[in-house]
Amino acid sequence: QVQLVESGGGLVQPGGSLRLSCSASGSIASINTMGWYRQAPGKERELVAAISSGTYTKYADSLKGRFLISSDNAKNTVYLQMNSLKPEDTAVYYCNAVGVWVRGTVNNYWGQGTQVTVSS
């Protein structure tokens, strides 16, 4: 059983920073890609950033320069450093793991989500 556990969400003032963490647990042999998505009220879930093989990154165009994704492959953990936060960044942030190999099978997984609220 694979679980993704997120942490680091909360309330922050505009212009502030937050760092999200997501750790994957279970009998994991390897993970191809880990990333973050977000969903604001009344909107569809959208990609924030993703990282593959600990090296190749992809960002939503609107977030480049403010958000930074990184990973610790040995710990199956992905981080999202969010800077210069704006009220429109308010959303539930979900961790995603794609290509998770466990005992010869591969699946994709989602975390339960962590709330990020940017407000004064």
Side-chain angles (χ1 to χ4, degrees), residues 45-95:
R45 190 174 296 189
E46 62 177 358
L47 173 69
V48 174
I51 185 166
S52 300
S53 303
T55 303
Y56 304 102
T57 59
K58 179 179 180 179
Y59 293 91
D61 288 341
S62 61
L63 301 176
K64 288 181 181 178
R66 293 197 298 124
F67 288 16
L68 179 67
I69 191 169
S70 61
S71 66
D72 184 335
N73 292 341
K75 296 181 179 180
N76 291 325
T77 298
V78 64
Y79 307 96
L80 184 68
Q81 178 67 42
M82 304 185 293
N83 300 319
S84 303
L85 284 163
K86 305 175 181 180
E88 50 264 43
D89 294 318
T90 296
V92 178
Y93 285 70
Y94 295 92
C95 179

Short mmCIF file of all heavy atoms in Angstrom, two decimals, residues 45-95:
data_model
loop_
_atom_site.label_atom_id
_atom_site.label_comp_id
_atom_site.label_asym_id
_atom_site.label_seq_id
_atom_site.Cartn_x
_atom_site.Cartn_y
_atom_site.Cartn_z
N ARG A 45 -8.76 21.11 -11.35
CA ARG A 45 -7.42 20.85 -10.83
C ARG A 45 -6.41 21.14 -11.94
O ARG A 45 -6.59 20.76 -13.09
CB ARG A 45 -7.32 19.41 -10.37
CG ARG A 45 -6.05 19.09 -9.59
CD ARG A 45 -6.08 17.67 -9.03
NE ARG A 45 -7.16 17.50 -8.05
CZ ARG A 45 -7.31 16.41 -7.30
NH1 ARG A 45 -6.41 15.43 -7.39
NH2 ARG A 45 -8.30 16.32 -6.45
N GLU A 46 -5.33 21.82 -11.57
CA GLU A 46 -4.33 22.20 -12.55
C GLU A 46 -2.93 21.83 -12.07
O GLU A 46 -2.66 21.81 -10.86
CB GLU A 46 -4.38 23.70 -12.83
CG GLU A 46 -4.08 24.58 -11.64
CD GLU A 46 -4.06 26.07 -11.96
OE1 GLU A 46 -4.24 26.43 -13.14
OE2 GLU A 46 -3.84 26.86 -11.04
N LEU A 47 -2.05 21.59 -13.02
CA LEU A 47 -0.66 21.29 -12.70
C LEU A 47 0.02 22.54 -12.17
O LEU A 47 -0.10 23.62 -12.75
CB LEU A 47 0.08 20.80 -13.95
CG LEU A 47 1.59 20.62 -13.79
CD1 LEU A 47 1.90 19.45 -12.87
CD2 LEU A 47 2.26 20.46 -15.14
N VAL A 48 0.77 22.36 -11.08
CA VAL A 48 1.61 23.43 -10.56
C VAL A 48 3.05 23.20 -11.02
O VAL A 48 3.65 24.05 -11.66
CB VAL A 48 1.54 23.48 -9.03
CG1 VAL A 48 2.54 24.50 -8.48
CG2 VAL A 48 0.13 23.79 -8.55
N ALA A 49 3.59 22.03 -10.68
CA ALA A 49 4.96 21.70 -11.06
C ALA A 49 5.17 20.20 -10.91
O ALA A 49 4.47 19.55 -10.12
CB ALA A 49 5.97 22.45 -10.20
N ALA A 50 6.12 19.68 -11.66
CA ALA A 50 6.45 18.27 -11.58
C ALA A 50 7.94 18.09 -11.78
O ALA A 50 8.59 18.93 -12.42
CB ALA A 50 5.67 17.46 -12.61
N ILE A 51 8.48 16.99 -11.22
CA ILE A 51 9.90 16.71 -11.35
C ILE A 51 10.08 15.23 -11.62
O ILE A 51 9.45 14.38 -10.98
CB ILE A 51 10.67 17.15 -10.08
CG1 ILE A 51 12.17 16.98 -10.27
CG2 ILE A 51 10.16 16.46 -8.84
CD1 ILE A 51 13.00 17.70 -9.21
N SER A 52 10.95 14.91 -12.59
CA SER A 52 11.20 13.53 -12.98
C SER A 52 12.67 13.21 -12.79
O SER A 52 13.54 14.02 -13.12
CB SER A 52 10.83 13.31 -14.46
OG SER A 52 9.47 13.58 -14.68
N SER A 53 12.90 12.03 -12.27
CA SER A 53 14.27 11.55 -12.06
C SER A 53 15.10 12.55 -11.25
O SER A 53 16.32 12.60 -11.39
CB SER A 53 14.97 11.30 -13.41
OG SER A 53 14.22 10.37 -14.17
N GLY A 54 14.42 13.31 -10.44
CA GLY A 54 15.10 14.29 -9.60
C GLY A 54 15.75 15.43 -10.34
O GLY A 54 16.43 16.26 -9.74
N THR A 55 15.50 15.50 -11.64
CA THR A 55 16.23 16.47 -12.45
C THR A 55 15.34 17.30 -13.37
O THR A 55 15.43 18.52 -13.41
CB THR A 55 17.28 15.76 -13.32
OG1 THR A 55 18.16 15.02 -12.47
CG2 THR A 55 18.07 16.75 -14.17
N TYR A 56 14.49 16.64 -14.13
CA TYR A 56 13.70 17.32 -15.15
C TYR A 56 12.44 17.92 -14.53
O TYR A 56 11.65 17.21 -13.92
CB TYR A 56 13.34 16.34 -16.26
CG TYR A 56 14.56 15.68 -16.86
CD1 TYR A 56 14.90 14.38 -16.52
CD2 TYR A 56 15.40 16.36 -17.74
CE1 TYR A 56 16.03 13.77 -17.04
CE2 TYR A 56 16.52 15.77 -18.26
CZ TYR A 56 16.84 14.48 -17.91
OH TYR A 56 17.95 13.89 -18.43
N THR A 57 12.28 19.21 -14.68
CA THR A 57 11.17 19.90 -14.06
C THR A 57 10.24 20.52 -15.10
O THR A 57 10.64 20.85 -16.21
CB THR A 57 11.66 21.01 -13.12
OG1 THR A 57 12.45 21.94 -13.87
CG2 THR A 57 12.48 20.44 -11.98
N LYS A 58 8.99 20.67 -14.68
CA LYS A 58 7.98 21.32 -15.51
C LYS A 58 7.13 22.17 -14.60
O LYS A 58 6.76 21.75 -13.50
CB LYS A 58 7.11 20.27 -16.22
CG LYS A 58 6.01 20.86 -17.08
CD LYS A 58 5.21 19.75 -17.77
CE LYS A 58 4.12 20.32 -18.63
NZ LYS A 58 3.35 19.24 -19.33
N TYR A 59 6.84 23.40 -15.05
CA TYR A 59 6.05 24.32 -14.27
C TYR A 59 4.88 24.87 -15.08
O TYR A 59 4.98 25.00 -16.31
CB TYR A 59 6.89 25.52 -13.81
CG TYR A 59 7.98 25.18 -12.83
CD1 TYR A 59 9.26 24.84 -13.27
CD2 TYR A 59 7.75 25.23 -11.46
CE1 TYR A 59 10.26 24.54 -12.38
CE2 TYR A 59 8.76 24.94 -10.56
CZ TYR A 59 10.01 24.59 -11.03
OH TYR A 59 11.00 24.30 -10.12
N ALA A 60 3.82 25.22 -14.38
CA ALA A 60 2.78 26.02 -15.02
C ALA A 60 3.41 27.35 -15.40
O ALA A 60 4.16 27.95 -14.61
CB ALA A 60 1.61 26.24 -14.07
N ASP A 61 3.16 27.80 -16.60
CA ASP A 61 3.81 29.02 -17.09
C ASP A 61 3.60 30.20 -16.15
O ASP A 61 4.50 31.03 -15.96
CB ASP A 61 3.28 29.36 -18.49
CG ASP A 61 3.79 28.41 -19.55
OD1 ASP A 61 4.81 27.73 -19.29
OD2 ASP A 61 3.18 28.33 -20.63
N SER A 62 2.42 30.29 -15.58
CA SER A 62 2.09 31.45 -14.75
C SER A 62 2.83 31.45 -13.42
O SER A 62 2.84 32.46 -12.71
CB SER A 62 0.58 31.48 -14.49
OG SER A 62 0.18 30.31 -13.79
N LEU A 63 3.46 30.31 -13.07
CA LEU A 63 4.10 30.19 -11.76
C LEU A 63 5.62 30.20 -11.83
O LEU A 63 6.28 30.22 -10.78
CB LEU A 63 3.62 28.92 -11.07
CG LEU A 63 2.12 28.81 -10.83
CD1 LEU A 63 1.77 27.47 -10.22
CD2 LEU A 63 1.64 29.95 -9.95
N LYS A 64 6.15 30.16 -13.02
CA LYS A 64 7.61 30.16 -13.16
C LYS A 64 8.21 31.40 -12.51
O LYS A 64 7.71 32.50 -12.67
CB LYS A 64 7.99 30.12 -14.65
CG LYS A 64 7.74 28.79 -15.32
CD LYS A 64 8.15 28.83 -16.79
CE LYS A 64 7.88 27.51 -17.48
NZ LYS A 64 8.22 27.55 -18.91
N GLY A 65 9.27 31.16 -11.75
CA GLY A 65 9.94 32.26 -11.09
C GLY A 65 9.49 32.48 -9.66
O GLY A 65 10.21 33.11 -8.87
N ARG A 66 8.30 32.00 -9.31
CA ARG A 66 7.81 32.14 -7.93
C ARG A 66 7.85 30.82 -7.17
O ARG A 66 8.05 30.80 -5.97
CB ARG A 66 6.38 32.69 -7.91
CG ARG A 66 6.25 34.12 -8.39
CD ARG A 66 4.91 34.71 -7.95
NE ARG A 66 3.78 33.99 -8.51
CZ ARG A 66 2.79 33.45 -7.78
NH1 ARG A 66 2.83 33.51 -6.46
NH2 ARG A 66 1.78 32.84 -8.38
N PHE A 67 7.60 29.72 -7.89
CA PHE A 67 7.56 28.41 -7.26
C PHE A 67 8.77 27.59 -7.71
O PHE A 67 9.22 27.69 -8.85
CB PHE A 67 6.29 27.67 -7.66
CG PHE A 67 5.03 28.21 -7.04
CD1 PHE A 67 4.98 29.46 -6.44
CD2 PHE A 67 3.87 27.44 -7.06
CE1 PHE A 67 3.81 29.95 -5.88
CE2 PHE A 67 2.70 27.91 -6.49
CZ PHE A 67 2.66 29.17 -5.91
N LEU A 68 9.27 26.76 -6.79
CA LEU A 68 10.41 25.91 -7.10
C LEU A 68 10.15 24.51 -6.58
O LEU A 68 9.87 24.33 -5.39
CB LEU A 68 11.68 26.47 -6.46
CG LEU A 68 12.95 25.65 -6.69
CD1 LEU A 68 13.34 25.68 -8.16
CD2 LEU A 68 14.08 26.19 -5.83
N ILE A 69 10.25 23.52 -7.47
CA ILE A 69 10.05 22.14 -7.07
C ILE A 69 11.40 21.45 -6.96
O ILE A 69 12.32 21.71 -7.74
CB ILE A 69 9.13 21.38 -8.06
CG1 ILE A 69 8.71 20.03 -7.49
CG2 ILE A 69 9.78 21.24 -9.43
CD1 ILE A 69 7.59 19.35 -8.28
N SER A 70 11.51 20.59 -5.95
CA SER A 70 12.74 19.81 -5.77
C SER A 70 12.35 18.47 -5.16
O SER A 70 11.21 18.28 -4.74
CB SER A 70 13.72 20.55 -4.86
OG SER A 70 13.16 20.77 -3.58
N SER A 71 13.31 17.55 -5.13
CA SER A 71 12.99 16.23 -4.60
C SER A 71 14.20 15.61 -3.93
O SER A 71 15.35 15.99 -4.20
CB SER A 71 12.47 15.32 -5.71
OG SER A 71 13.48 15.06 -6.66
N ASP A 72 13.92 14.67 -3.07
CA ASP A 72 14.94 13.83 -2.45
C ASP A 72 14.55 12.40 -2.80
O ASP A 72 13.67 11.82 -2.15
CB ASP A 72 14.97 14.05 -0.93
CG ASP A 72 16.09 13.26 -0.26
OD1 ASP A 72 16.51 12.23 -0.82
OD2 ASP A 72 16.52 13.66 0.82
N ASN A 73 15.17 11.86 -3.84
CA ASN A 73 14.76 10.55 -4.34
C ASN A 73 14.99 9.45 -3.31
O ASN A 73 14.22 8.48 -3.25
CB ASN A 73 15.51 10.23 -5.63
CG ASN A 73 15.08 11.13 -6.77
OD1 ASN A 73 14.02 11.73 -6.73
ND2 ASN A 73 15.92 11.22 -7.79
N ALA A 74 16.01 9.58 -2.52
CA ALA A 74 16.30 8.56 -1.51
C ALA A 74 15.18 8.48 -0.47
O ALA A 74 14.95 7.43 0.13
CB ALA A 74 17.62 8.85 -0.83
N LYS A 75 14.49 9.59 -0.27
CA LYS A 75 13.40 9.64 0.71
C LYS A 75 12.03 9.61 0.05
O LYS A 75 11.01 9.73 0.74
CB LYS A 75 13.53 10.91 1.55
CG LYS A 75 14.78 10.96 2.40
CD LYS A 75 14.82 12.24 3.23
CE LYS A 75 16.07 12.30 4.10
NZ LYS A 75 16.12 13.55 4.90
N ASN A 76 11.99 9.49 -1.29
CA ASN A 76 10.72 9.52 -2.02
C ASN A 76 9.89 10.73 -1.61
O ASN A 76 8.69 10.62 -1.34
CB ASN A 76 9.92 8.22 -1.81
CG ASN A 76 10.58 7.03 -2.46
OD1 ASN A 76 11.17 7.14 -3.54
ND2 ASN A 76 10.49 5.88 -1.82
N THR A 77 10.53 11.86 -1.56
CA THR A 77 9.91 13.08 -1.08
C THR A 77 10.07 14.19 -2.11
O THR A 77 11.13 14.32 -2.72
CB THR A 77 10.52 13.51 0.26
OG1 THR A 77 10.28 12.49 1.24
CG2 THR A 77 9.92 14.81 0.76
N VAL A 78 9.01 14.97 -2.27
CA VAL A 78 9.04 16.11 -3.17
C VAL A 78 8.65 17.35 -2.38
O VAL A 78 7.84 17.28 -1.45
CB VAL A 78 8.10 15.90 -4.38
CG1 VAL A 78 6.64 15.79 -3.94
CG2 VAL A 78 8.27 17.00 -5.41
N TYR A 79 9.28 18.47 -2.74
CA TYR A 79 9.04 19.73 -2.06
C TYR A 79 8.55 20.77 -3.06
O TYR A 79 8.91 20.73 -4.23
CB TYR A 79 10.33 20.23 -1.40
CG TYR A 79 10.99 19.22 -0.51
CD1 TYR A 79 12.02 18.42 -0.98
CD2 TYR A 79 10.59 19.06 0.81
CE1 TYR A 79 12.64 17.48 -0.17
CE2 TYR A 79 11.20 18.12 1.64
CZ TYR A 79 12.22 17.34 1.14
OH TYR A 79 12.83 16.41 1.95
N LEU A 80 7.78 21.71 -2.54
CA LEU A 80 7.37 22.84 -3.36
C LEU A 80 7.59 24.11 -2.55
O LEU A 80 6.89 24.34 -1.56
CB LEU A 80 5.91 22.73 -3.78
CG LEU A 80 5.42 23.83 -4.72
CD1 LEU A 80 6.10 23.69 -6.10
CD2 LEU A 80 3.90 23.80 -4.87
N GLN A 81 8.57 24.89 -2.95
CA GLN A 81 8.83 26.18 -2.32
C GLN A 81 8.02 27.24 -3.05
O GLN A 81 8.18 27.41 -4.27
CB GLN A 81 10.31 26.53 -2.39
CG GLN A 81 10.66 27.88 -1.79
CD GLN A 81 10.45 27.93 -0.29
OE1 GLN A 81 10.79 26.99 0.42
NE2 GLN A 81 9.89 29.03 0.19
N MET A 82 7.14 27.89 -2.32
CA MET A 82 6.26 28.88 -2.92
C MET A 82 6.60 30.25 -2.35
O MET A 82 6.50 30.46 -1.13
CB MET A 82 4.79 28.53 -2.63
CG MET A 82 4.41 27.13 -3.09
SD MET A 82 2.66 26.77 -2.87
CE MET A 82 2.54 26.77 -1.09
N ASN A 83 6.98 31.17 -3.21
CA ASN A 83 7.37 32.51 -2.80
C ASN A 83 6.45 33.55 -3.41
O ASN A 83 5.75 33.28 -4.38
CB ASN A 83 8.82 32.78 -3.23
CG ASN A 83 9.80 31.80 -2.63
OD1 ASN A 83 9.71 31.44 -1.46
ND2 ASN A 83 10.77 31.38 -3.43
N SER A 84 6.48 34.74 -2.84
CA SER A 84 5.67 35.86 -3.35
C SER A 84 4.23 35.44 -3.58
O SER A 84 3.65 35.69 -4.64
CB SER A 84 6.28 36.40 -4.65
OG SER A 84 7.62 36.81 -4.46
N LEU A 85 3.69 34.80 -2.58
CA LEU A 85 2.34 34.24 -2.73
C LEU A 85 1.29 35.33 -2.90
O LEU A 85 1.39 36.42 -2.33
CB LEU A 85 2.01 33.36 -1.53
CG LEU A 85 2.70 31.98 -1.57
CD1 LEU A 85 2.69 31.33 -0.20
CD2 LEU A 85 2.01 31.09 -2.59
N LYS A 86 0.30 34.99 -3.71
CA LYS A 86 -0.80 35.91 -4.02
C LYS A 86 -2.12 35.28 -3.60
O LYS A 86 -2.23 34.05 -3.50
CB LYS A 86 -0.83 36.17 -5.53
CG LYS A 86 0.48 36.67 -6.12
CD LYS A 86 0.39 36.77 -7.63
CE LYS A 86 1.71 37.26 -8.23
NZ LYS A 86 1.62 37.36 -9.71
N PRO A 87 -3.13 36.10 -3.38
CA PRO A 87 -4.43 35.53 -3.00
C PRO A 87 -4.93 34.49 -4.01
O PRO A 87 -5.59 33.51 -3.62
CB PRO A 87 -5.34 36.75 -2.97
CG PRO A 87 -4.43 37.87 -2.57
CD PRO A 87 -3.13 37.57 -3.28
N GLU A 88 -4.61 34.68 -5.27
CA GLU A 88 -5.07 33.72 -6.29
C GLU A 88 -4.34 32.38 -6.22
O GLU A 88 -4.70 31.44 -6.95
CB GLU A 88 -4.93 34.31 -7.70
CG GLU A 88 -3.58 34.90 -8.02
CD GLU A 88 -3.53 36.40 -7.80
OE1 GLU A 88 -4.07 36.88 -6.78
OE2 GLU A 88 -2.93 37.09 -8.65
N ASP A 89 -3.33 32.27 -5.37
CA ASP A 89 -2.68 30.99 -5.15
C ASP A 89 -3.45 30.14 -4.14
O ASP A 89 -3.09 28.98 -3.90
CB ASP A 89 -1.25 31.19 -4.65
CG ASP A 89 -0.35 31.83 -5.68
OD1 ASP A 89 -0.43 31.45 -6.87
OD2 ASP A 89 0.45 32.72 -5.30
N THR A 90 -4.45 30.72 -3.54
CA THR A 90 -5.27 29.98 -2.57
C THR A 90 -5.93 28.79 -3.24
O THR A 90 -6.63 28.93 -4.26
CB THR A 90 -6.34 30.90 -1.96
OG1 THR A 90 -5.69 31.94 -1.22
CG2 THR A 90 -7.27 30.11 -1.05
N ALA A 91 -5.72 27.61 -2.67
CA ALA A 91 -6.25 26.37 -3.26
C ALA A 91 -5.88 25.21 -2.35
O ALA A 91 -5.09 25.35 -1.41
CB ALA A 91 -5.67 26.15 -4.65
N VAL A 92 -6.44 24.07 -2.66
CA VAL A 92 -5.97 22.82 -2.07
C VAL A 92 -4.88 22.29 -3.00
O VAL A 92 -5.09 22.16 -4.21
CB VAL A 92 -7.10 21.79 -1.93
CG1 VAL A 92 -6.54 20.48 -1.35
CG2 VAL A 92 -8.20 22.33 -1.03
N TYR A 93 -3.73 22.01 -2.42
CA TYR A 93 -2.58 21.53 -3.18
C TYR A 93 -2.46 20.02 -2.98
O TYR A 93 -2.41 19.53 -1.83
CB TYR A 93 -1.31 22.24 -2.74
CG TYR A 93 -1.23 23.65 -3.27
CD1 TYR A 93 -2.09 24.64 -2.80
CD2 TYR A 93 -0.33 24.00 -4.27
CE1 TYR A 93 -2.05 25.93 -3.31
CE2 TYR A 93 -0.27 25.28 -4.78
CZ TYR A 93 -1.13 26.24 -4.29
OH TYR A 93 -1.08 27.52 -4.80
N TYR A 94 -2.40 19.31 -4.10
CA TYR A 94 -2.35 17.85 -4.08
C TYR A 94 -1.01 17.35 -4.59
O TYR A 94 -0.52 17.80 -5.63
CB TYR A 94 -3.45 17.26 -4.96
CG TYR A 94 -4.85 17.54 -4.49
CD1 TYR A 94 -5.55 18.65 -4.94
CD2 TYR A 94 -5.48 16.68 -3.59
CE1 TYR A 94 -6.83 18.91 -4.50
CE2 TYR A 94 -6.77 16.92 -3.15
CZ TYR A 94 -7.45 18.04 -3.62
OH TYR A 94 -8.73 18.29 -3.18
N CYS A 95 -0.47 16.39 -3.89
CA CYS A 95 0.75 15.71 -4.34
C CYS A 95 0.35 14.56 -5.27
O CYS A 95 -0.67 13.90 -5.06
CB CYS A 95 1.50 15.18 -3.13
SG CYS A 95 3.02 14.28 -3.52
#
